[in-house]
Amino acid sequence: MCGIAGYTGPKEADSVLTVALERLKYRGYDSAGLAVLAEGDVGIRRAPGKLKNLSDLLAAKPLRGHTGIGHTRWATHGAPTECNAHPHTSNDGKVAVVHNGIIENHEHLRRELTAKGCIFRSETDTETIPHLIASLYTGDPLAAIRAAVGRLEGSYSLAVVFADKPGHIYAARQASPLLVGKGKREMLLASDLPALLPHAHQVCYLGEGEIADLTPEGIELWSFDGTPVTAAFAPIEITAEAVSKGDFDSFMAKEIAEQPTVLARLVDSRLRAGRLVEPDLGLDLKAVNHIVFLGCGTSWHAALLGKRFLEALARVHVEVDISSEYRYRNPIASGDTLVVAISQSGETADTLAGLRLARAKFIPVVGLVNVVTSTIARESSGMMPLLAGPEIGVASTKAYTAQVMAMYLFALQVAKAKGLLSLAQEESAIAAALLIPELAARTLALCEAEVAEAADLFASAHATVFLGRGGEHATALEGALKLKEIAYVHAVGYPAGEFKHGPIALVTNQLPVVCICPKDAMYEKMLSNLQEVRARAGRIIVVGEQGDRALQDLSDHLFPVATSADHMLQPLLSILPLQRYAYHVARRRDCDVDQPRNLAKSVTVE
Ligand code: F6R
């Protein structure tokens, strides 16, 4: 979603801000802009499309000054045009605003401000904000912003500059993340940590309902009601390298390759002296008898596997809910219910709303999140970090496998707390988990040539079907989602047993059907599915054990995967060739794998 950046200090603001916007572009955007303060004036440059268009504009018409704000916009209200791009200004041009979120009462405000003589030049909800602030401004920016936020309904983070307040950036946050970075006699503002690098060494997360005044010397902070708040800074722990592509051609390729390391780190973090250690969740896991997993997209797919782990290992009744559905139901909760909110970003609006709904019903919520400083992490009663490191590619890859592994370890812990896991079972489960990183590395190496070859053949296919049973149904859904989102190929995942109840009508000799066939209890059933597709001349890609003759005979392509000692963990390996397949098909179709069209990394609006 939209990204906000701000800079005040000795450097040229435009150059710091364009780098910061580059670091925010993974969130998804379709236009961008800057406002820079200079000599009692606010200079504005905005451009639709890629950031390069903004850079070209700045090269042709530079903006000089040491204080400024910037924005990458992901259109909600109004098309991605120059006049809808941020910053938006008051009619006298003296107040400029960038905004992330949605102002829900914008139509009402627009009517009111128009009646007072304001002229609107865009279709955005955001434009109400500079007009509103300007109409309330009598020389005290904080008073005007405080009065303005009192009128705004919805979710927002804002950065504001005033032509007559050189060196100052004002910021306000209500339900959308905003971070302040402190450097050497310079302050920065951003929607996400990577945009503060490399200038800032310390970070402060603005709290809900807080207003900040940033100058190169420091920050002053208040709650919306004017009560002073102490800004809490902590060292920034990620490096600029962690948010760069390194030797890879894309973040997605880098993040797929990182999975063995990520999985090893996660398993290690949960072991002490060879035994599982419980993360401090502030919960009596023994008393939990009902778990609700909440997530969206890939995180929801991971939850489907979490359900299988919890039910098999800990015999706990588990529901999996798509966050945007859960939040509008009136879910039943009892004293032994636990909600687990699964989110890479920790900012997904629907999952956050589900969390808040659960907490309002006094249900404990554990956050399974990658970004440990995120809103979901902070609002959860307990936290299980994924430790996957920054995930920049819009398509989730390493966060998915980390989520799946984290849920396996959590299921073992619940089983242990309930006395359902003997020492021998714990040891063998840990041994199986410890093997996964090595098996993942082997799988990535093993499958690459076949995957690339199949992508060459099927890159122009109009649709692809993915079939799997048991835990591999989640893999089928996730494989299909990857192909849809980065290669723009229509793809669907089905439980393989459902295929003959309708979807099999799709099969022709033009349709690639990807069948996930591990050597588990469902293997023979999957062979029958392969026969059914083959009998109708479908093109078969199989994900299965290397050298499996039966699979080779029935398929056009076999994506070989290593075999896990514990069948339950096999989906962690089966998904790897499918991530690579989506990547290769996308490259052959000239798609931008890191920033697919229409998508955002962090979905902070409904
Ligand atoms: C798919 C993808 C999305 C996210 C979804 C939830 O590759 O990235 O489907 O999984 O938007 O995001 P988080 O996990 O940040 O809540």
Side-chain angles (χ1 to χ4, degrees):
M1 295 281 130
C2 310
I4 288 179
Y7 176 79
T8 178
K11 297 169 185 143
E12 285 295 335
D14 68 329
S15 58
V16 176
L17 291 172
T18 41
V19 173
L21 294 184
E22 275 289 328
R23 295 239 166 92
L24 291 173
K25 69 183 189 184
Y26 75 92
R27 296 163 65 89
Y29 77 104
D30 36 44
S31 55
L34 294 187
V36 173
L37 292 180
E39 293 163 12
D41 219 345
V42 187
I44 304 281
R45 300 286 181 273
R46 306 182 296 186
K50 294 284 176 194
L51 276 171
K52 164 108 181 30
N53 300 346
L54 180 64
S55 302
D56 290 348
L57 181 64
L58 285 164
K61 294 168 84 181
L63 278 179
R64 296 273 165 254
H66 302 283
T67 301
I69 54 179
H71 192 260
T72 48
R73 173 173 186 253
W74 188 86
T76 56
H77 296 63
T81 56
E82 195 217 317
C83 70
N84 287 331
H86 301 206
H88 290 285
T89 54
S90 54
N91 284 146
D92 62 5
K94 300 292 183 195
V95 179
V97 171
V98 293
H99 163 225
N100 179 12
I102 290 180
I103 304 303
E104 285 166 4
N105 59 337
H106 72 102
E107 278 179 15
H108 171 81
L109 291 172
R110 183 182 273 252
R111 274 196 300 276
E112 183 184 308
L113 290 158
T114 306
K116 286 187 181 161
C118 293
I119 296 164
F120 279 76
R121 293 157 298 191
S122 79
E123 301 155 90
T124 64
D125 53 334
T126 302
E127 199 190 336
T128 52
I129 306 171
H131 292 308
L132 185 61
I133 292 175
S135 73
L136 296 161
Y137 185 51
T138 52
D140 179 350
L142 289 165
I145 294 172
R146 203 175 297 133
V149 295
R151 301 289 319 280
L152 301 180
E153 288 168 19
S155 64
Y156 49 85
S157 49
L158 308 175
V160 191
V161 287
F162 292 75
D164 61 351
K165 298 291 169 195
H168 289 258
I169 299 173
Y170 301 89
R173 179 206 152 138
Q174 182 68 50
S176 261
L178 207 48
L179 290 59
V180 175
K182 192 195 279 184
K184 215 169 166 192
R185 284 190 50 79
E186 58 192 347
M187 296 294 276
L188 294 99
L189 186 70
S191 304
D192 204 356
L193 204 51
L196 300 177
L197 299 172
H199 310 283
H201 311 296
Q202 292 190 299
V203 61
C204 163
Y205 290 79
L206 285 197
E208 287 288 298
E210 287 180 359
I211 298 180
D213 175 3
L214 310 182
T215 58
E217 286 72 40
I219 175 174
E220 285 193 85
L221 202 56
W222 300 266
S223 58
F224 279 3
D225 66 8
T227 314
V229 176
T230 307
F233 280 91
I236 293 180
E237 271 154 16
I238 61 164
T239 58
E241 291 74 57
V243 292
S244 79
K245 287 183 211 164
D247 292 335
F248 291 86
D249 63 10
S250 60
F251 282 107
M252 185 186 184
K254 179 182 178 222
E255 288 156 8
I256 291 174
E258 279 173 355
Q259 289 175 103
T261 315
V262 166
L263 291 167
R265 183 163 58 219
L266 180 59
V267 178
D268 282 351
S269 76
R270 302 286 284 280
L271 298 179
R272 295 280 178 283
R275 302 287 313 269
L276 275 171
V277 282
E278 203 171 309
D280 184 13
L281 301 176
L283 277 175
D284 177 8
L285 290 177
K286 189 157 53 115
V288 172
N289 285 319
H290 176 213
I291 295 181
V292 182
F293 282 126
L294 296 184
C296 303
T298 289
S299 296
W300 177 69
H301 296 157
L304 297 174
L305 283 162
K307 174 182 168 77
R308 300 187 71 83
F309 299 155
L310 260 300
E311 289 187 349
L313 296 166
R315 305 305 297 153
V316 174
H317 174 60
V318 179
E319 284 173 80
V320 178
D321 237 319
I322 291 176
S323 312
S324 53
E325 293 295 321
Y326 178 84
R327 65 180 291 191
Y328 291 115
R329 290 202 280 115
N330 184 10
I332 298 166
S334 52
D336 59 358
T337 300
L338 169 69
V339 166
V340 179
I342 306 169
S343 176
Q344 187 287 128
S345 63
E347 300 294 348
T348 301
D350 286 318
T351 307
L352 183 57
L355 174 157
R356 288 177 177 159
L357 174 67
R359 295 217 66 182
K361 288 174 178 280
F362 302 102
I363 306 173
V365 180
V366 168
L368 193 76
V369 293
N370 195 32
V371 182
V372 292
T373 45
S374 60
T375 313
I376 291 179
R378 277 179 286 140
E379 294 197 14
S380 296
S381 37
M383 237 268 288
M384 286 189 282
L386 295 175
L387 308 177
E391 190 179 66
I392 310 273
V394 163
S396 192
T397 52
K398 62 177 178 173
Y400 173 71
T401 44
Q403 285 165 341
V404 174
M405 180 60 93
M407 279 187 283
Y408 178 73
L409 298 171
F410 179 58
L412 291 173
Q413 256 144 10
V414 179
K416 196 169 159 183
K418 287 181 174 288
L420 296 175
L421 198 70
S422 68
L423 181 56
Q425 285 167 322
E426 182 182 341
E427 281 172 356
S428 99
I430 290 172
L434 282 170
L435 283 175
I436 290 293
E438 162 63 23
L439 297 176
R442 202 185 309 159
T443 298
L444 285 169
L446 264 181
C447 70
E448 186 59 16
E450 275 289 334
V451 167
E453 200 177 299
D456 279 339
L457 269 178
F458 297 126
S460 55
H462 294 303
T464 303
V465 171
F466 292 74
L467 302 179
R469 288 176 183 253
E472 304 295 10
H473 171 221
T475 310
L477 293 173
E478 179 60 8
L481 179 60
K482 291 291 91 102
L483 193 62
K484 268 187 282 218
E485 65 184 340
I486 63 161
Y488 316 144
V489 174
H490 177 62
V492 279
Y494 284 107
E498 269 292 291
F499 197 48
K500 57 182 148 327
H501 297 286
I504 199 166
L506 295 168
V507 177
T508 66
N509 63 2
Q510 300 298 307
L511 183 79
V513 181
V514 180
C515 299
I516 304 144
C517 304
K519 272 264 169 58
D520 61 11
M522 293 290 117
Y523 177 73
E524 298 295 336
K525 307 277 173 213
M526 284 305 301
L527 287 185
S528 305
N529 288 119
L530 291 185
Q531 297 279 12
E532 288 158 10
V533 177
R534 197 178 168 82
R536 288 156 184 86
R539 311 294 299 276
I540 299 178
I541 297 172
V542 160
V543 178
E545 209 171 80
Q546 190 187 24
D548 183 320
R549 288 307 299 261
L551 295 181
Q552 271 167 352
D553 290 348
L554 284 169
S555 62
D556 298 281
H557 284 275
L558 172 66
F559 293 170
V561 284
T563 301
S564 161
D566 181 343
H567 285 320
M568 254 192 282
L569 292 174
Q570 191 63 33
L572 281 167
L573 305 173
S574 311
I575 188 59
L576 303 174
L578 302 185
Q579 294 171 342
R580 291 294 301 169
Y581 181 66
Y583 163 86
H584 278 296
V585 173
R587 304 291 299 188
R588 281 153 184 74
R589 293 167 70 95
D590 277 335
C591 302
D592 181 341
V593 296
D594 283 339
Q595 288 165 60
R597 68 184 179 211
N598 305 339
L599 293 181
K601 182 69 182 162
S602 188
V603 185
T604 51
V605 296
E606 266 200 70

